[in-house]
């Protein structure tokens, strides 16, 4: 009997050995080449940064922050070894002792309580194998693990494992897990937090501190006990970590710069260039944004919209909930549907006083709001009217109201003499805005804010909103005139005009915003004060076609512009980005730059795969001609044909640009943009813009280095209100941003180019005058256009013959 048993055992052993050898012989040729693990490219999300390295956004399904083994703290490595493979540095890839121990335990308990997989086997499975549970797959895993150990060092294997392992909530790798669960880096983790992350690989979706904190704490305790048993920590550290509370919660990516509208533009561009690989290739995109300027732009836009909102009254609480005193623990849950928007915190009114209130925030913070923060809240009636001023807090709100709070003036650029910061009642604006700033030299986008808050509306008003520019378009008409014999001293009649043409139901009677008329007016004065009637007559004399052709040199699409005299009042639809691009030509000496926002693209290992090479304004270049032999403007392609190297094509010649810069400076020094004088910068120029019925408010302005456009309006194109001009609604936004953008920068403005002559002229006639005339003004002309002492500058007649009060055109 003993002999029979011996032969049976021998036969079984031979069969098992032969079968295993056969499987090995069959599987070995099928095993993948593991040498590629040295250069493996982990799926890493797309990250977007400012030019100065501040994180803007991250895109990708998998959250991963790859780290080198040298960057992993010793405690973190020890925690994972204790939890997953304490003999990692001793076995050859397969821990036969652990496998036998797991097998014996399975036979005794009939339950799988212990695993035999090593870290190397998990690397083999994660990189090369499926999750199927078969003997053949397990054998492949064992053989691959042995092969990997022959190719890579232990530290290389551990690094791969720590970066690849799934740890729940889209976190792949320990770097991402530290951020997702604790909002921290690996170096900042406590022992208890480290043990919690090391507890996750066993079952990241089940033993998870977010979904199942009880199970997660049990697994954390196991990891800590194993660390104690292995001598990685002492009893004191063990006791302290074991007693530590569970503090894990989900953390979003810690972005450092608020620029979601531009981040979306980057994402779209990268998807176009790289396809779906953009989300997994670990690309790092460095944009042209400057973090300080972007932050200033966000503050400036939000302040302008909140100021507009307060001017027009309080629309009431955002919601009302059933609230009972003493039940303060319910406040966070009740406020859950009202996340922060544009820096405005939601709060629940829990008590009213005669001239104040108490409120609870979603974080459980008690807020006291005084009358200074409530008194503004006259009821909104229409955009042009408000109800009576409130006298008591209960005239405005009642207990249970959900309101918005702003921390003021912390949301505004601080200035000397500002009152102390305090909470005040606010509301999410319905009005919207946009702000974009370009480097005039090459079109680099320095800041871009497409709306009050990206979570409120993802519509990018800088690049997508087609709006009428109103008077903001007038400089392009005046620039056309300077190329066709007009000068800043030319006269155009500012008087009523009536258009009564066949096909019109009613006559068109355009007016100046002020309702007043100045008679014969020099172009410089007309532009500074935005005289509508001058623009209309000027375009009529030039011809609509010439203006549209000239405007196309600034990048405007001729097909998108109306081919009639209404264009003189800015009735074409353009984006704020297109306007800023056009104004940059006045800033840089006449060159058409192309806006761009991606400075360079790098791979995850720092290799640069794309670098911007923009066309730049070239001040040293000899200005090419912008007119053909017959005096007509060249088309865009003809202008580009004159460009050599990396120089941007010309929109206008240097002389035209200088005169326009000079005229637009007067808009600020004594025209509709006078409010910008508070910046105390003599190099600033710009133009306000207000459309018909005050549906859009604009300001575009610049110095010789930066061009910025600000816009305010309703997405529905509703009227802003009778007094909401560009100077009131949009210019303050521009000022607040430029205050920061120009801080500590030298004054930069255009220098008169060759061919420009500055002389003294009679302001009443535009004629050249002698030194002795007291009321003379200084004006710039092209040499060929300098007026003679006895004649008037070109215009519609002489000063004496332009005093008719109205004119009817048929």
């Amino acid at each position: 009997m003993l002999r029979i048993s011996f032969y049976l055992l021998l036969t079984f052993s031979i069969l098992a050995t032969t079968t295993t050898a056969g499987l090995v012989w069959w599987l070995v040729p099928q095993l993948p080449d593991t040498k590629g693990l040295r250069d493996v490219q982990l799926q890493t999300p797309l990250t977007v940064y400012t030019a100065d390295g501040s994180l803007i956004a991250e895109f990708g399904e998998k959250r991963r922050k790859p780290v080198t083994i040298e960057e992993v703290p010793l405690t973190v490595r020890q925690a994972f070894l204790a939890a997953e493979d304490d003999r990692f540095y001793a076995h050859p890839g397969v821990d036969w002792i652990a496998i036998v121990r797991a097998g014996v335990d399975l036979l005794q308990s009939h339950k799988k309580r212990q695993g035999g997989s090593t870290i190397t086997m998990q690397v083999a499975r994660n990189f090369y194998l499926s999750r199927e549970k078969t003997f053949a797959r397990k054998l492949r895993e064992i053989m691959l693990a042995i092969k990997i150990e022959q190719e890579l060092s232990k530290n290389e294997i551990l690094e791969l494992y720590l970066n690849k392992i799934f740890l729940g909530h889209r976190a792949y790798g320990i770097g991402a897990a530290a951020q997702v669960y604790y909002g921290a880096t690996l170096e900042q983790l406590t022992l208890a937090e480290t043990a919690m992350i090391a507890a996750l690989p066993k079952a990241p979706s089940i033993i998870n501190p977010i979904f199942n904190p009880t199970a997660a704490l049990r697994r954390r305790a196991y990891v800590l006990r194993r660390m104690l048993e292995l001598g990685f920590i002492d009893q004191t550290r063990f006791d302290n970590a074991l007693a530590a509370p569970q503090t894990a919660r989900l953390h979003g990516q810690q972005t450092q710069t608020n620029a979601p509208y531009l981040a979306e533009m980057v994402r779209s561009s990268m998807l176009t260039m790289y396809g779906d690989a953009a989300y997994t290739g670990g690309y790092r995109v460095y944009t042209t944004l400057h973090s300080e300027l972007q932050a200033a732009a966000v503050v400036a836009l939000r302040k302008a919209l909140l100021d507009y909102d307060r001017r027009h009254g309080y629309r009431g609480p955002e919601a009302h909930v059933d609230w009972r005193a003493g039940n303060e623990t319910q406040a966070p849950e009740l406020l859950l549907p009202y996340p922060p928007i544009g820096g405005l915190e939601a709060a629940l009114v829990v008590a009213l006083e005669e001239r104040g209130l108490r409120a609870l925030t979603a974080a459980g913070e008690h807020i006291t709001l005084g009358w200074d923060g409530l008194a503004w809240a006259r009821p909104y009636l229409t955009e042009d009217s408000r109800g009576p001023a409130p006298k008591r807090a209960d005239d405005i709100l009642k207990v249970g109201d959900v309101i918005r709070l702003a921390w003021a003036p912390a949301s505004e650029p601080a200035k000397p003499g500002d009152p102390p910061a305090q909470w005040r009642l606010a509301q999410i604006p319905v009005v919207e805005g946009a702000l974009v700033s370009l480097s005039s030299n090459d079109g680099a986008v320095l800041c871009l804010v497409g709306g009050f808050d990206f979570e409120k509306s993802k519509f990018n008003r800088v690049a997508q909103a087609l709006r009428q520019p109103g008077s903001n378009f007038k400089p392009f008409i005046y620039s056309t005139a300077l190329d066709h014999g007009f000068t800043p001293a030319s006269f155009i009649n500012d008087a009523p005009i009536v258009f009564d043409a066949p096909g019109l139901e009613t006559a068109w009677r355009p007016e100046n915003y002020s309702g007043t008329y100045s008679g014969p007016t020099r172009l410089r004065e007309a532009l500074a004060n935005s005289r509508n009637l001058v623009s209309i007559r000027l375009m009529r004399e030039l011809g609509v076609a010439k203006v549209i052709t000239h405007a196309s040199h600034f990048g405007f699409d001729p097909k998108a512009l109306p081919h009639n005299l209404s264009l003189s009042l800015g009735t074409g639809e353009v984006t704020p980005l297109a306007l800023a691009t056009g104004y940059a030509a006045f800033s840089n000496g006449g060159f058409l730059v192309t806006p761009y926002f991606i400075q360079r693209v790098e791979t995850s290992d720092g290799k640069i795969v794309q670098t911007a090479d923009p066309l730049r304004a070239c001040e040293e270049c000899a200005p090419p001609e912008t007119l053909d032999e017959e005096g007509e403007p060249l088309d865009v392609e003809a202008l580009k044909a004159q460009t050599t190297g990396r120089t941007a094509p010309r929109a206008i010649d240097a002389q035209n640009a200088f005169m326009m810069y000079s005229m637009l400076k007067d808009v600020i020094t004594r025209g509709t943009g006078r409010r910008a004088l508070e910046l105390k910068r003599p190099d600033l120029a710009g133009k306000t813009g207000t459309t018909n019925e005050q549906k859009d408010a604009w300001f575009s302005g610049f110095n010789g280095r930066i061009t910025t456009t600000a816009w305010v309006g309703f997405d529905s194109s509703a009227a802003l209100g009778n007094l909401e001009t560009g100077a009131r609604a949009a210019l303050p936004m521009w000022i607040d941003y430029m205050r920061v953008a120009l801080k500590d920068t030298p004054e930069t403005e255009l220098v008169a180019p060759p061919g420009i002559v500055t002389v003294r002229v009679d302001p009443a006639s535009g004629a050249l005058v002698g030194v002795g005339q007291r009321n003379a003004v200084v004006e710039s002309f092209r040499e060929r256009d300098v007026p003679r002492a006895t004649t008037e500058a070109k215009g519609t007649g002489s000063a004496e013959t332009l005093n008719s009060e109205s004119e009817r055109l048929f």
Side-chain angles (χ1 to χ4, degrees):
M1 189 66 182
L2 186 61
R3 181 178 296 180
I4 293 173
S5 298
F6 171 74
Y7 282 116
L8 285 173
L9 181 61
L10 179 61
T11 301
F12 175 77
S13 298
I14 293 172
L15 286 172
T17 302
T18 303
T19 302
T20 302
L23 282 171
V24 170
W25 176 82
W26 177 63
L27 288 173
V28 166
Q30 301 180 40
L31 294 178
D33 184 3
T34 57
K35 292 181 180 179
L37 285 174
R38 289 187 183 276
D39 303 312
V40 68
Q41 295 294 318
L42 297 171
Q43 289 191 14
T44 307
L46 167 69
T47 48
V48 184
Y49 299 88
T50 62
D52 47 330
S54 177
L55 181 65
I56 295 174
E58 179 180 284
F59 298 99
E61 181 181 348
K62 296 181 178 180
R63 297 178 180 176
R64 180 177 274 123
K65 296 176 66 175
V67 293
T68 64
I69 195 66
E70 292 78 17
E71 294 171 328
V72 181
L74 178 61
T75 302
V76 176
R77 282 180 269 170
Q78 290 173 335
F80 275 88
L81 293 176
E84 297 295 319
D85 189 358
D86 60 89
R87 284 174 31 82
F88 173 71
Y89 284 98
H91 61 64
V94 180
D95 190 347
W96 301 109
I97 295 175
I99 290 176
V100 171
R101 184 171 62 238
V104 172
D105 183 74
L106 177 62
L107 290 172
Q108 290 177 345
S109 65
H110 303 288
K111 294 180 180 179
K112 187 180 178 182
R113 299 186 302 184
Q114 297 185 25
S117 291
T118 64
I119 283 176
T120 312
M121 291 169 69
Q122 292 184 58
V123 169
R125 181 168 65 243
N126 288 335
F127 278 94
Y128 294 112
L129 302 176
S130 67
R131 286 288 182 179
E132 63 177 338
K133 296 183 180 296
T134 64
F135 176 73
R137 198 229 25 132
K138 194 66 177 179
L139 189 57
R140 284 193 186 95
E141 184 179 308
I142 291 172
M143 295 169 64
L144 270 174
I146 294 172
K147 190 175 182 181
I148 289 171
E149 291 270 350
Q150 295 171 349
E151 296 285 349
L152 303 179
S153 69
K154 287 288 186 179
N155 280 347
E156 287 174 325
I157 295 169
L158 184 59
E159 180 179 306
L160 282 171
Y161 170 76
L162 294 175
N163 281 310
K164 178 74 172 180
I165 191 71
F166 176 59
L167 297 169
H169 291 287
R170 295 172 48 215
Y172 289 80
I174 55 175
Q179 166 60 38
V180 167
Y181 292 106
Y182 298 106
T185 63
L186 293 175
E187 295 81 5
Q188 295 170 331
L189 293 175
T190 66
L191 175 58
E193 293 167 344
T194 297
M196 182 63 80
I197 292 175
L200 292 171
K202 183 176 179 64
S205 298
I206 299 174
I207 305 175
N208 190 284
I210 307 301
F211 294 143
N212 194 343
T214 302
L217 285 171
R218 283 198 300 267
R219 181 65 180 172
R220 185 187 76 173
Y222 165 78
V223 175
L224 290 170
R225 280 196 302 273
R226 290 294 296 137
M227 294 182 74
L228 178 65
E229 293 166 0
L230 292 168
F232 293 155
I233 57 175
D234 57 25
Q235 188 66 46
T236 300
R237 293 188 69 194
F238 169 80
D239 292 339
N240 291 338
L242 190 66
Q246 195 294 105
T247 58
R249 61 182 179 86
L250 292 182
H251 293 74
Q253 177 67 310
Q254 289 184 325
T255 58
Q256 298 161 306
T257 294
N258 183 358
Y261 292 98
L262 185 115
E264 177 58 24
M265 294 169 70
V266 171
R267 185 202 64 79
S268 179
S269 295
M270 289 294 291
L271 188 62
T272 299
M273 290 186 289
Y274 297 98
D276 290 340
Y279 298 132
T280 60
Y283 292 108
R284 297 196 293 257
V285 180
Y286 288 86
T287 67
T288 56
L289 252 62
H290 287 236
S291 56
E292 183 181 5
L293 301 191
Q294 179 66 21
V298 171
V299 171
L301 181 140
R302 289 178 175 175
K303 177 182 181 295
L305 300 189
L306 290 171
D307 285 349
Y308 169 90
D309 218 42
R310 282 192 294 273
R311 288 197 296 270
H312 292 268
Y314 187 54
R315 296 185 300 277
E318 198 163 328
H320 183 82
V321 298
D322 186 19
W323 170 258
R324 296 179 182 177
N327 204 8
E328 296 183 357
T329 56
Q330 281 190 340
E333 183 179 351
L334 292 171
L335 292 173
L336 200 59
Y338 310 100
I341 296 291
L344 303 180
E345 294 287 338
L348 181 66
V349 177
V350 297
L352 290 175
E353 300 169 358
E354 182 177 357
R355 293 170 72 84
L357 62 81
R358 288 187 295 110
L360 275 173
T361 67
E365 182 182 1
H366 289 262
I367 300 295
T368 299
L369 206 59
W371 192 243
D372 287 345
L374 291 170
W376 70 270
R378 293 172 59 183
Y380 168 88
L381 299 178
T382 70
E383 293 305 322
D384 292 313
S385 61
R386 293 178 293 168
K391 298 179 179 179
R392 298 165 48 92
D394 57 11
D395 291 339
I396 308 168
L397 298 163
K398 56 181 178 289
V399 172
D401 282 345
V402 176
I403 61 173
R404 292 285 173 170
L405 299 176
W407 184 244
S411 61
E412 308 170 8
K415 298 185 287 293
D418 277 348
Q422 62 178 354
W423 289 107
R424 71 176 170 209
L425 179 66
Q427 59 190 349
I428 298 173
V430 178
V431 71
E432 275 292 355
L435 182 67
V436 61
S437 186
L438 305 178
S439 167
S440 303
N441 180 58
D442 63 359
V445 177
L446 303 177
C447 78
L448 187 150
V449 189
F452 183 74
D453 188 281
F454 189 72
E455 295 306 315
K456 172 176 176 272
S457 170
K458 294 176 173 56
F459 182 60
N460 185 347
R461 293 157 190 85
V462 166
Q464 296 175 303
L466 290 169
R467 307 291 299 210
Q468 291 187 6
S471 300
N472 220 224
F473 192 78
K474 289 177 181 176
F476 305 105
I477 301 171
Y478 281 67
S479 176
T480 307
L482 295 181
D483 268 359
H484 289 82
F486 286 84
T487 74
S490 297
F491 280 87
I492 294 289
N493 196 17
D494 179 25
I497 191 169
V498 179
F499 291 89
D500 190 7
L504 292 178
E505 293 183 5
T506 58
W508 179 38
R509 292 180 171 84
E511 298 177 344
N512 291 323
Y513 176 77
S514 65
T516 62
Y517 305 93
S518 303
T521 306
R522 286 182 292 129
L523 291 190
R524 178 179 292 275
E525 297 299 317
L527 184 60
N529 294 290
S530 200
R531 313 302 287 184
N532 290 340
L533 278 302
V534 171
S535 295
I536 293 171
R537 282 191 169 88
L538 183 61
M539 177 176 274
R540 186 187 62 175
E541 183 158 341
L542 291 167
V544 175
K546 286 181 180 179
V547 173
I548 290 177
T549 299
H550 191 82
S552 71
H553 297 168
F554 292 86
F556 297 110
D557 181 3
K559 297 178 182 178
L561 301 177
H563 287 55
N564 54 59
L565 287 179
S566 70
L567 179 61
S568 62
L569 302 183
T571 57
E573 292 185 334
V574 298
T575 65
L577 183 59
L579 266 182
T581 303
Y583 271 80
F586 297 136
S587 167
N588 64 29
F591 296 91
L592 175 60
V593 294
T594 301
Y596 71 101
F597 48 86
I598 295 179
Q599 182 61 253
R600 70 181 186 277
V601 179
E602 297 181 358
T603 58
S604 57
D605 58 359
K607 179 182 177 181
I608 298 176
V609 295
Q610 179 182 330
T611 304
D613 186 18
L615 298 175
R616 302 174 186 275
C618 178
E619 297 178 0
E620 292 77 21
C621 299
E625 293 295 328
T626 59
L627 304 178
D628 62 21
E629 294 179 355
E630 297 179 358
E632 295 298 318
L634 294 170
D635 61 26
V636 175
E637 294 304 318
L639 285 171
K640 290 181 177 178
Q642 299 187 48
T643 303
T644 58
R646 300 304 300 167
T647 303
R650 276 202 172 274
I652 49 177
D653 62 34
Q655 297 166 352
N656 188 312
F658 175 79
M659 288 187 287
M660 287 304 304
Y661 198 142
S662 172
M663 294 168 73
L664 289 169
K665 285 177 67 176
D666 279 0
V667 173
I668 290 178
T669 56
R670 53 194 176 83
T672 56
R674 288 187 300 275
R675 186 168 183 170
L677 289 172
E678 68 180 75
L679 293 176
K680 299 178 180 179
R681 298 274 305 208
D683 57 341
L684 297 181
K687 182 70 184 75
T688 53
T690 310
T691 61
N692 191 35
E693 298 180 4
Q694 288 76 51
K695 293 181 178 180
D696 300 88
W698 298 84
F699 190 84
S700 294
F702 54 90
N703 71 348
R705 189 174 63 89
I706 296 176
T707 302
T708 304
T709 290
W711 168 82
V712 173
F714 289 103
D715 288 339
S716 64
S717 294
L720 290 167
N722 287 335
L723 300 178
E724 298 296 347
T725 62
R728 191 185 196 200
L731 179 54
M733 183 198 309
W734 187 90
I735 291 171
D736 285 341
Y737 165 75
M738 292 294 276
R739 180 181 290 110
V740 177
L742 298 175
K743 183 181 179 182
D744 299 327
T745 63
E747 294 173 6
T748 311
E749 55 186 320
L750 292 185
V751 177
I756 287 291
V757 176
T758 301
V759 298
R760 301 171 75 249
V761 297
D762 183 348
S765 67
L768 192 67
V769 299
V771 178
Q773 186 164 331
R774 292 186 177 182
N775 67 338
V777 294
V778 176
E779 189 55 87
S780 298
F781 299 88
R782 286 187 172 95
E783 287 181 348
R784 67 173 186 260
D785 294 329
V786 175
R788 295 191 298 273
T790 58
T791 61
E792 295 82 8
K794 178 176 178 179
T796 309
S798 67
E800 287 75 22
T801 61
L802 287 178
N803 291 323
S804 59
E805 294 191 4
S806 67
E807 179 179 352
R808 182 173 294 274
L809 303 178
F810 296 95

